Amino acid sequence: MPSASDHHSLYVLIRKLESIATLSTEERQAILSLPAKTRVLPPRQDIVRDGDKPSQCCLLLDGWACRYKLLSQGRRQILSFHVPGDIPDLQSLHLHTMDHSLGTLTEATIAFIPHESLRELTARFPGLAAILWRDTLIDAAIFREWMVGLGRRSASERIAHVFCEMYLKLEAVGLAGDHRCPLPITQTDLGDALGLSNVHVNRVLQEMRGKGLITLRGSALVIEAWDELNRVSEFDPTYLHLEKRAAG
Amino acid sequence: MPSASDHHSLYVLIRKLESIATLSTEERQAILSLPAKTRVLPPRQDIVRDGDKPSQCCLLLDGWACRYKLLSQGRRQILSFHVPGDIPDLQSLHLHTMDHSLGTLTEATIAFIPHESLRELTARFPGLAAILWRDTLIDAAIFREWMVGLGRRSASERIAHVFCEMYLKLEAVGLAGDHRCPLPITQTDLGDALGLSNVHVNRVLQEMRGKGLITLRGSALVIEAWDELNRVSEFDPTYLHLEKRAAG
DNA sequence: CGGACAATTGATCTACCTCAAAATTGGTGG
DNA sequence: CCACCAATTTTGAGGTAGATCAATTGTCCG
C-alpha cells in the first residue's frame, strides 16, 4: 500500500534508516520535512574533497558514490561504496574537516541537506540522533570488516566477501533481490577498494565465473552460489547490523 | 595547579575527551559522577568477545588494549590499539551485538560503566552525546586511514605511519612527549595490525633502525627523525581530528 | 638458573604486481 | 543500422614484496 511519502525524494532516507532501526511516525514526518537542494552529477565527479569544510550533508537519491583517499604515484584507496539512501558524509556533522574525498561512480542524484537542519532535527528528536549515530557506527563496522579483508584475506576471499556485503546492503533497502544486484563499477574501482590491481581482479573474477559462483556482465551481478560464496569468504552479516528487510 | 579531579580515576576520560573537544564545567562534573566498577586484567585477556551483547562500556584506565577479529587458520586482524582514556567499545551503546573482540595487550586497569548510566548522561547532556558521537567518528576516521595503509602502503610506510599516529594520540593525552612514547606490543601484534608477518615486521624495523629513523627497545619507541618519518609515510594528522594538546 | 616468550636469521616460495598490447563493450552520431 | 571512439576488459610475460617454515638467539623474570 504505497503512501504519498513513497513519491517524496527523501523517502529513500526513511527506507535506509528503517533498514537499521525503527522510526516513529513523527520521526518519519520530521525527515520528510528536511530542506534539500537536489542536483544531478555526472559519473566520476567529486562531491566533497579531502580538506573541505562542508556545511551540508549529501544524501544519495540515485546512483552510486564512493569515498576514497589518494596517495602519491596515483595510488587510490576506496573506503566505501554508497547506494541510494546513504548519507556518505554524515560524519561531517561532527568532524569539521574532510579527511577523505567523496565522488560519484555513476551519474548520481544528490540531495544536499544543511548541517543546521540536521542539528535542529537531532536536537528535537534525540531518538533520531541516536539512529544517525548508529548509522555512522555501522559505517565504522563495515570499515572494520574491510580492514580484515585488506589485511588478512586472499584476493578471492575479499572479492567474494564484498559481493555478499553489497548484495545484502542493497537488498535491505529494496534495491536487490533473488541474489541479483546492480554493480555499476569497473574492475579498477573494485581493485582500489580491495587493495588489488585491476589485472588481478580480472583474473579472480574469471576464476569465480569458471567455478559457477557468479555471473557478472555489464553492471549486473548474479550470485549463483550464495552459500558457497559465504563459506569461502567466511561472510557473517552480523557486522551490517541490519534490523529487518525493507518491504520493497 | 592540580585539582581534586586529577586524582579521580575517571579523570583520564576527561583528559581524553578534552583532546578532541571542549567540555563545560557541568559536563566534567557529570562525567566524574559516572558509576564505574574497576578491575585489573592480566595481559592478553579478552574483555568482550565477538558475538557478545554487552550492557556496559569499558573505559581503559591504565595499560593497552586492542580490538581484533579472528579468521580461520589462526589469521588475526587487529583493528585498533587503545590507550588510557579510550572507551574501545563505545559503539556497543548503539550496536547491540559485538562484531569483533576486545582484549588487553598489557596488564590493564579497566572501569566498567553501565550503558544505562551513559544513556542518562547523553540524555541530560546533548553536548556530551555529540562529543561521544564525535569520538566514535574519529575512531572511524582512524579505521579509514588504516584501510589506506593496508590496501595501498608498503610495509615500511605502514609501520612508519602507525608510529606517527600512536605518538600523536599518546601525546594528545599527555602520555608521550619529546618524540618518545611507550609501545608495549610485540612485533607479532604490530604485524597483525598492519597485515604483515612478524618476520617481515622485524626486518623492516631493523632497516628503520639502521637508517636512524627510530630507536625501539623493550617497550619504548623513540622517533629519531620525525619529519622524515612523516614524509616517507605521507602522514597527515588531520584524520586524528585533535583539538588541542593536553596540559599534561 | 631455568623457562617462556619474543626477536632474529636464513632459505625458499608464491600471490600478486607491473607493463604492454590486444580484444571487447557500450554508447554516439551519421 | 552501422561505423567509430573511448573506456573497459582481457591476455601474456616477467618481476618482487612479502609470506612461510624452521632454527637460533636474546631477554625478562620468578
Side-chain angles (χ1 to χ4, degrees):
Chain A
M1 44 178 177
S3 73
S5 60
D6 289 356
H7 305 300
H8 192 297
S9 68
L10 290 183
Y11 183 71
V12 294
L13 176 55
I14 290 183
R15 192 176 59 178
K16 158 64 185 278
L17 295 180
E18 288 190 325
S19 77
I20 60 165
T22 304
L23 297 175
S24 70
T25 309
E26 303 81 53
E27 288 169 343
R28 266 198 293 269
Q29 265 320 313
I31 289 172
L32 290 179
S33 50
L34 278 169
K37 284 182 190 157
T38 297
R39 277 176 50 201
V40 176
L41 297 181
R44 318 205 152 270
Q45 170 116 145
D46 279 344
I47 306 170
V48 198
R49 285 214 184 77
D50 203 338
D52 284 357
K53 294 178 188 294
S55 59
Q56 54 190 4
C57 285
C58 310
L59 166 63
L60 194 47
L61 298 179
D62 192 48
W64 282 40
C66 72
R67 296 196 261 175
Y68 68 93
K69 284 201 192 203
L70 296 179
L71 294 180
S72 61
Q73 304 158 236
R75 289 176 293 181
R76 176 176 69 147
Q77 178 65 43
I78 289 182
L79 305 163
S80 56
F81 292 121
H82 292 282
V83 301
D86 287 347
I87 305 181
D89 62 346
L90 186 51
Q91 89 284 337
S92 68
L93 206 54
H94 293 293
L95 298 183
H96 308 307
T97 303
M98 289 294 290
D99 54 43
H100 60 278
S101 296
L102 169 63
T104 61
L105 286 165
T106 65
E107 178 175 282
T109 310
I110 301 194
F112 293 92
I113 307 172
H115 281 173
E116 200 183 346
S117 310
L118 286 167
R119 274 189 240 283
E120 281 170 24
L121 185 77
T122 54
R124 279 209 301 145
F125 297 93
L128 266 182
I131 291 171
L132 293 177
W133 187 352
R134 177 174 161 91
D135 183 54
T136 62
L137 290 170
I138 294 175
D139 230 57
I142 296 175
F143 292 150
R144 287 193 291 269
E145 193 62 48
W146 281 36
M147 286 174 63
V148 176
L150 289 165
R152 292 300 185 208
R153 276 191 248 262
S154 71
S156 59
E157 289 169 334
R158 272 180 243 184
I159 293 178
H161 198 279
V162 82
F163 282 174
C164 294
E165 172 183 308
M166 288 313 305
Y167 175 74
L168 281 192
K169 274 191 62 172
L170 287 164
E171 190 200 37
V173 293
L175 293 173
D178 201 22
H179 294 155
R180 285 154 201 278
C181 69
L183 197 77
I185 63 178
T186 67
Q187 296 180 4
T188 299
D189 292 332
L190 206 48
D192 283 348
L194 302 178
L196 302 168
S197 70
N198 61 336
V199 174
H200 199 59
V201 167
N202 181 276
R203 291 185 169 129
V204 172
L205 285 178
Q206 287 180 55
E207 199 181 307
M208 291 174 73
R209 279 191 275 241
K211 288 181 183 165
L213 295 174
I214 58 163
T215 301
L216 180 56
R217 264 196 64 79
S219 304
L221 169 69
V222 184
I223 301 180
E224 307 285 1
W226 175 258
D227 292 344
E228 176 71 358
L229 221 58
N230 274 248
R231 202 181 54 71
V232 304
S233 64
E234 300 181 50
F235 182 76
D236 173 354
T238 307
Y239 75 99
L240 293 172
H241 299 276
L242 294 173
E243 191 89 320
K244 58 182 181 191
R245 298 283 163 76
Chain B
M1 43 178 178
S3 74
S5 60
D6 290 356
H7 304 300
H8 192 297
S9 68
L10 291 183
Y11 183 71
V12 295
L13 176 55
I14 291 183
R15 192 176 59 178
K16 158 64 184 278
L17 295 180
E18 286 190 327
S19 78
I20 61 166
T22 304
L23 296 175
S24 70
T25 309
E26 304 80 54
E27 288 168 343
R28 264 197 296 267
Q29 265 320 312
I31 289 172
L32 290 179
S33 50
L34 279 169
K37 284 183 191 157
T38 297
R39 276 177 49 201
V40 177
L41 297 182
R44 320 207 151 268
Q45 171 116 146
D46 279 345
I47 307 170
V48 198
R49 283 213 183 78
D50 203 338
D52 285 357
K53 294 176 187 295
S55 59
Q56 53 190 6
C57 284
C58 310
L59 167 62
L60 193 48
L61 298 178
D62 192 48
W64 282 40
C66 73
R67 296 196 260 177
Y68 67 92
K69 286 202 192 201
L70 296 179
L71 294 181
S72 62
Q73 303 159 239
R75 289 176 292 182
R76 176 176 70 147
Q77 177 64 43
I78 290 182
L79 304 162
S80 55
F81 291 122
H82 292 282
V83 301
D86 287 347
I87 304 181
D89 62 347
L90 185 52
Q91 90 283 336
S92 67
L93 206 54
H94 293 293
L95 298 183
H96 308 306
T97 303
M98 289 293 292
D99 53 45
H100 60 279
S101 296
L102 168 63
T104 61
L105 287 165
T106 66
E107 177 175 281
T109 310
I110 301 193
F112 293 91
I113 306 171
H115 281 173
E116 199 184 344
S117 310
L118 285 167
R119 273 190 242 283
E120 281 170 25
L121 185 78
T122 54
R124 278 210 301 144
F125 298 94
L128 265 182
I131 291 172
L132 292 177
W133 187 353
R134 177 175 161 90
D135 183 54
T136 62
L137 291 170
I138 293 175
D139 230 56
I142 296 174
F143 292 149
R144 287 193 291 270
E145 193 61 48
W146 281 36
M147 287 174 63
V148 176
L150 289 165
R152 292 300 185 207
R153 276 191 248 262
S154 71
S156 58
E157 290 169 334
R158 272 180 241 185
I159 294 179
H161 199 278
V162 82
F163 282 174
C164 294
E165 173 184 306
M166 288 312 305
Y167 175 75
L168 282 192
K169 273 191 63 172
L170 287 164
E171 190 199 38
V173 292
L175 293 173
D178 201 21
H179 294 155
R180 286 154 200 279
C181 68
L183 197 76
I185 63 177
T186 68
Q187 294 178 5
T188 299
D189 291 332
L190 205 48
D192 283 349
L194 302 177
L196 301 168
S197 69
N198 59 337
V199 174
H200 198 59
V201 167
N202 181 276
R203 289 181 171 133
V204 172
L205 285 177
Q206 287 180 54
E207 200 181 305
M208 291 173 73
R209 279 191 274 243
K211 287 180 182 166
L213 294 174
I214 58 163
T215 302
L216 180 56
R217 264 197 65 79
S219 304
L221 168 69
V222 185
I223 300 180
E224 307 285 1
W226 176 259
D227 292 344
E228 178 69 358
L229 221 58
N230 273 248
R231 202 182 54 72
V232 305
S233 64
E234 300 180 48
F235 182 75
D236 173 353
T238 307
Y239 75 98
L240 293 173
H241 299 275
L242 294 173
E243 191 89 319
K244 59 181 179 190
R245 299 282 163 77

